[in-house]
Amino acid sequence: MEFIASISDLKDALEALRRRSAKVGFVPTMGALHEGHLSLVRRSREEMEGTVVSAFVNPTQFGPAEDLDKYPRPVERDRELCEKAGVDILFAPPASEMYQAGYATYVLQERYSEPFEGALRTGHFHGVCTVCAKLFCLVRPAVAYFGQKDYQQSVVIRHMVKDLNMDLEVRVCPIVREEDGLAMSSRNAYLSAEERRQAPALHRALAAAEQAFAAGERSAAPLLAVIGKVIGEAPLAQMDYAAVVNPESLREVRRIETEAVALIAARFGKTRLIDNTKLTAK
Ligand code: AMP
């Protein structure tokens, strides 16, 4: 595996990779890799001939009061995990390489980046779109793999790719969870023991909504009431939002005709966690 920090080395390594692999898959991450990230790597390895992973804690997607400085950066461990997973290139540049002196160009998406995470984390998707556009230009993958865990992000990226005629496909892969249902996240490491104990409430709330949906409930309000009740049973959880949305437009729906996504975000102390589930009528 090539472990690369500079854009010029990345270009050389990609040229060599492309000579032996016609189809390159790409997994953009912020590092601190866990099984969720590795599931995307495995999917790329199954479907593509070459796999590139980026591990870059992108400063432009963090707000001024957010956890940029304390975000975990276990570079050597990430390198070992990628090596073992059969990754061809791991690109882990410093911020000064991605945003060089005089940097001035950003990708701004309207609409899909505005509600939910966008409303609570000003400029977040501005940074996400910018870094993904830059990475897509560099790697030029056939397919980029994203996790459903960050559902709004997957919608934002899909629309960016379509709107800007980027020549790649976006594939969204299922959420990987801990045994107790908590969606894996690099931020779970911030939770205190008691917060960690209560954090699966997010998943339990979504599972309760799924159950109500399976039993025939098609109105959003009672599903949200079920979610609110379960979250209410975790005293350390402070809900930021819960919503039932159209999977494509992210607009809130009152009734579910065929398909919707239930989105949830809550804070446990200083740690924000997000989760979601698809609700699909059989
Ligand atoms: P991050 O490093 O948090 O920016 O995540 C990088 C990619 O991994 C994103 O596409 C995430 O949606 C995806 N991802 C993160 N956690 C999980 C998970 N638990 N299951 C599946 N994909 C995930």
Side-chain angles (χ1 to χ4, degrees):
M1 184 186 82
E2 301 259 21
F3 178 63
I4 287 171
S6 82
I7 287 172
S8 65
D9 288 350
L10 176 65
K11 285 184 174 163
D12 292 344
L14 280 165
E15 208 177 293
L17 178 63
R18 249 186 266 285
R19 274 198 290 272
R20 49 178 207 278
S21 321
K23 287 197 299 184
V24 171
F26 176 45
V27 181
T29 81
M30 296 207 298
L33 301 180
H34 51 64
E35 269 304 307
H37 300 117
L38 295 175
S39 73
L40 306 182
V41 170
R42 277 195 290 276
R43 179 88 176 263
S44 171
R45 294 258 299 139
E46 279 159 26
E47 297 176 349
M48 300 284 119
E49 291 160 10
T51 295
V52 178
V53 173
S54 63
F56 177 56
V57 184
N58 173 36
T60 63
Q61 72 188 69
F62 285 76
E66 292 187 21
D67 55 346
L68 174 63
D69 290 334
K70 74 167 187 164
Y71 199 87
R73 291 167 173 85
V75 182
E76 269 314 306
R77 185 170 173 276
D78 288 349
R79 183 179 183 162
E80 281 165 30
L81 287 171
C82 284
E83 186 105 51
K84 259 196 231 149
V87 170
D88 296 283
I89 298 173
L90 171 58
F91 179 51
S96 57
E97 184 70 4
M98 291 298 279
Y99 300 103
Q100 296 185 3
Y103 192 88
T105 305
Y106 296 88
V107 178
L108 173 61
Q109 181 179 98
E110 298 177 341
R111 193 177 308 192
Y112 309 100
S113 66
E114 285 164 5
F116 308 117
E117 291 304 293
L120 287 155
R121 303 182 67 189
T122 312
H124 171 65
F125 287 119
H126 198 173
V128 170
C129 285
T130 300
V131 80
C132 285
K134 283 169 69 62
L135 290 166
F136 293 166
C137 285
L138 285 168
V139 178
R140 287 180 287 125
V143 178
Y145 294 88
F146 286 84
Q148 187 195 315
K149 152 89 184 342
D150 300 272
Y151 187 80
Q152 186 178 8
Q153 171 174 277
S154 73
V155 173
V156 165
I157 295 294
R158 259 212 296 252
H159 280 281
M160 177 185 78
V161 164
K162 181 166 174 273
D163 291 352
L164 298 183
N165 309 102
M166 292 175 168
D167 196 12
L168 69 133
E169 197 188 312
V170 172
R171 283 191 197 149
V172 182
C173 306
I175 303 174
V176 178
R177 299 181 178 282
E178 302 286 356
E179 266 180 26
D180 59 8
L182 177 63
M184 287 192 181
S185 163
S186 310
R187 290 193 166 95
N188 292 350
Y190 301 153
L191 297 168
S192 71
E194 185 51 27
E195 287 163 355
R196 174 64 190 82
R197 208 182 61 74
Q198 294 187 24
L202 259 69
H203 174 247
R204 271 203 307 278
L206 292 170
E210 275 169 27
Q211 233 174 14
F213 181 75
E217 185 56 73
R218 291 291 178 270
S219 298
L223 296 172
L224 291 170
V226 165
I227 289 175
K229 179 170 177 293
V230 177
I231 295 291
E233 288 160 11
L236 295 180
Q238 287 196 296
M239 192 134 83
D240 272 347
Y241 60 79
V244 177
V245 302
N246 177 294
E248 301 300 322
S249 69
L250 293 178
R251 289 226 175 85
E252 290 200 60
V253 296
R254 279 216 224 138
R255 266 193 75 76
I256 304 166
E257 298 306 335
T258 51
E259 213 186 359
V261 178
L263 300 172
I264 185 166
R267 278 165 292 132
F268 289 80
K270 287 190 179 137
T271 308
R272 271 189 93 242
L273 300 179
I274 57 173
D275 203 343
N276 67 82
T277 192
K278 285 190 180 156
L279 301 170
T280 311
K282 294 246 161 59

